[in-house]
Amino acid sequence: MKDFVAELKWRNMIHTIMPGTEDELKKGMATAYVGIDPTADSLHIGHLVSIMILTHFQACGHRPLVVLGGATGMIGDPSFKSQERVLLTPETIQHNQECIRKQLEKFLDFSEDKPNHAQILNNYDWMKGWSFIDFIREIGKHITVNYMMAKDSVKKRIETGISFTEFSYQLMQGYDFLYLFENYDCKLQMGGSDQWGNITTGTELIRRTLDKEAYAITCPLITKADGKKFGKTEKGNVWLDREKTSPYAFYQFWLNLSDEDAARFIRIFTLKSEEEICELEKQHAADPSQRILQKALAKDITIKVHSEEDYNAAIEASQILFGKGTTETLKKLDEQTFLSVFDGVPQFKISKSDIENGIGIIDLVAEKTQVLASKGEVRRALKENSLSINKEKIKEDYIANSSCLLNNKYILVQKGKKNYYIIVVE
């Protein structure tokens, strides 16, 4: 077995570790869990740190558990949130759980023939049998209000107001740890540093009810070098679900990281060895313009989350903007990827009736859409051979019709090397 704590240390993935944890893990195969509340039908890359901790844990020979919070997801974790969460219905939570399970299978090995196979559990299964009275009598009596109020995650919400529902969250998460300790021999809980308060409520509950020791490890909350929240873009979270974030946009997120971020994140989000990463760093330092680290990280994580086919398609799509793409490459792009590639490009709308019988290039880009300012500008561009439709150079006799539509809806106009315009045909 590999030394899990040593593995996390060189990857800079430890924020806090409870005394005794390292010695406990050296005794043999251990069981640890991470909790994820199914508040959406996809994970986003902000979840990936906790998932990668479990992935590294399993790679070191230990057994990982993922608790999808069917019960706690109905309550909402108040930790460092400025306002009350919206409560989800049981049906929504169940749907979200099923979607997340499929994503987790790309990171963890659930093969039951292996002694350290991963398991996904739902805390609703052990919470649904409790009555309110029984829970506060049997569990609530062990943790004082003073103890719960002292948590930073609660303190920050006292000023703005916190409901009893959310206040009770840490007690429910604490009971999860107690239940797993007793029924799965799970002695370790892991998560982001914002979860330290909830996790230690669990270790305290185990100590007070069973007079036994449990352990905890938290990882740093990841921010980018510019201080912005990791995984956040101007359009919101970067999701693992291809319908929410296209594989191309996913790949581009990693490819566009700064050198500093790429050096940190390749340690966290890949299983590459220290030797492999050091070699990549040397290659990167020799010629930073080649973006060796970013490319290696983007390839690894895109293939893991999506597929090698999606990775290759993202590479092809990336080349379109740099003049290497062809008409055939363009035609292969699905609508979501096409719009991702040309995000921010000016758009002009025309009706289908405008092109059904065919329309000349000058009328199309100077009258119907004003892609170019005047017919004279169009003629100059055509004379200079700098005007393209769907990556094909065109002449003044070009006629646009329904056959030139991409995804049955779009026409890509290009002037020169870098000026793109999209005509949307509706």
Side-chain angles (χ1 to χ4, degrees), residues 383-401:
K383 191 174 181 180
E384 294 165 357
N385 198 32
S386 63
L387 201 61
S388 300
I389 295 290
N390 299 339
K391 283 292 177 180
E392 281 186 355
K393 295 286 186 182
I394 58 167
K395 302 293 184 184
E396 192 167 339
D397 60 354
Y398 180 85
I399 302 294
N401 55 39

Side-chain angles (χ1 to χ4, degrees), residues 19 28 79 83 118 126 148 171 233 237 240 268 294 336 368 425:
S79 296
Q83 59 188 6
W126 55 81
M148 295 171 75
L171 193 59
T233 67
N237 285 319
L240 274 59
I268 296 171
Q294 287 92 336
Q336 186 189 34
K368 283 292 182 183
V425 184

Side-chain angles (χ1 to χ4, degrees), residues 132-175:
F132 178 72
I133 292 175
D134 287 342
F135 189 78
I136 59 175
R137 275 176 56 88
E138 299 301 321
I139 305 301
K141 68 181 180 182
H142 295 289
I143 302 294
T144 66
V145 171
N146 304 48
Y147 180 86
M148 295 171 75
M149 292 278 286
K151 302 291 185 181
D152 287 341
S153 56
V154 173
K155 280 182 183 177
K156 292 181 184 295
R157 280 289 301 279
I158 292 296
E159 297 174 9
T160 57
I162 182 171
S163 67
F164 176 77
T165 301
E166 286 200 349
F167 181 64
S168 65
Y169 184 95
Q170 66 170 290
L171 193 59
M172 290 180 68
Q173 185 171 326
Y175 179 68

Side-chain angles (χ1 to χ4, degrees), residues 193-207:
S193 58
D194 60 337
Q195 289 296 306
W196 183 254
N198 290 335
I199 293 173
T200 52
T201 296
T203 60
E204 185 67 8
L205 188 59
I206 289 166
R207 188 184 65 79

Side-chain angles (χ1 to χ4, degrees), residues 303-314:
I303 290 174
K304 186 179 286 291
V305 170
H306 294 292
S307 68
E308 188 157 3
E309 184 180 0
D310 286 318
Y311 161 73
N312 290 329

Side-chain angles (χ1 to χ4, degrees), residues 276-414:
E276 287 176 300
I277 291 174
C278 287
E279 179 57 33
L280 286 169
E281 287 175 332
K282 285 180 185 177
Q283 294 175 21
H284 185 96
D287 187 359
S289 67
Q290 293 298 312
R291 303 180 72 77
I292 299 293
L293 284 174
Q294 287 92 336
K295 288 177 180 177
L297 172 57
K299 178 180 181 179
D300 189 285
I301 197 71
T302 302
I303 290 174
K304 186 179 286 291
V305 170
H306 294 292
S307 68
E308 188 157 3
E309 184 180 0
D310 286 318
Y311 161 73
N312 290 329
I315 294 289
E316 279 194 350
S318 301
Q319 292 174 341
I320 290 173
L321 286 176
F322 300 103
K324 298 177 183 176
T326 64
T327 304
E328 288 307 308
T329 305
L330 197 61
K331 287 179 178 178
K332 286 195 290 184
L333 300 182
D334 59 74
E335 183 177 11
Q336 186 189 34
T337 304
F338 175 80
L339 293 175
S340 294
V341 171
F342 296 102
D343 184 33
V345 167
Q347 294 190 4
F348 302 84
K349 293 184 179 180
I350 62 173
S351 66
K352 282 196 174 180
S353 61
D354 289 326
I355 66 164
E356 280 178 351
N357 298 318
I359 183 172
I361 184 61
I362 294 176
D363 288 340
L364 177 66
V365 300
E367 283 198 351
K368 283 292 182 183
T369 60
Q370 287 79 54
V371 168
L372 299 184
S374 67
K375 290 183 177 181
E377 187 178 347
V378 182
R379 290 191 177 97
R380 281 193 297 275
L382 290 166
K383 191 174 181 180
E384 294 165 357
N385 198 32
S386 63
L387 201 61
S388 300
I389 295 290
N390 299 339
K391 283 292 177 180
E392 281 186 355
K393 295 286 186 182
I394 58 167
K395 302 293 184 184
E396 192 167 339
D397 60 354
Y398 180 85
I399 302 294
N401 55 39
S402 300
S403 67
C404 67
L405 295 182
L406 303 167
N407 288 292
N408 204 34
K409 188 176 181 180
Y410 305 102
I411 298 172
L412 181 69
V413 182
Q414 182 180 358

Side-chain angles (χ1 to χ4, degrees), residues 42-48 230-233 235-241 244-246 249-251 253-254 306:
S42 172
L43 300 170
H44 54 73
I45 61 176
H47 292 110
L48 279 186
F230 170 73
K232 279 278 190 180
T233 67
K235 294 192 171 184
N237 285 319
V238 178
W239 299 90
L240 274 59
D241 185 331
K244 296 178 186 293
T245 300
S246 70
F250 184 86
Y251 171 79
F253 172 83
W254 301 97
H306 294 292

